[in-house]
């Protein structure tokens, strides 16, 4: 189950919540002030970051022209 981060617009507290995908767009109550004025932050378990844009994307330690199918 993915972890989502929310931030409270009232008190600014950032909190995490384990949500199902179907609940991801629901407003969460702030654990600090109990307010509902929260918004979801970008998840930390985001897309994989490809470091370096040039060259081989697959960092093969064993060089030699691999036949990667
Ligand atoms: Zn709050």
């Amino acid at each position: 189950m993915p972890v989502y981060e929310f931030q409270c617009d009232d008190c600014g507290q950032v909190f995490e919540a384990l949500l199902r995908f179907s609940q991801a767009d629901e407003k969460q109550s702030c654990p600090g002030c109990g307010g509902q004025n929260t918004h979801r932050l970008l998840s930390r378990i985001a897309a994989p970051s490809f470091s370096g844009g040039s060259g081989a994307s697959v960092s093969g330690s064993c060089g030699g022209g691999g036949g990667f199918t």
Side-chain angles (χ1 to χ4, degrees), residues 8-13 15 30-35 37-38:
C8 178
D9 293 328
D10 290 337
C11 67
Q13 178 165 339
F15 58 97
C30 172
C33 68
N37 295 322
T38 58

Side-chain angles (χ1 to χ4, degrees), residues 4-69:
Y4 294 98
E5 278 190 306
F6 291 87
Q7 184 171 30
C8 178
D9 293 328
D10 290 337
C11 67
Q13 178 165 339
V14 177
F15 58 97
E16 296 177 345
L18 278 172
L19 298 176
R20 302 170 192 272
F21 284 108
S22 58
Q23 297 175 304
D25 290 330
E26 295 181 9
K27 291 285 187 180
Q28 298 299 309
S29 297
C30 172
C33 68
Q36 296 263 323
N37 295 322
T38 58
H39 62 273
R40 184 156 58 102
L41 301 177
L42 289 179
S43 178
R44 274 189 282 182
I45 50 172
S49 59
F50 294 100
S51 59
S54 61
S57 57
V58 180
S59 58
S61 55
C62 51
F68 224 91
T69 55

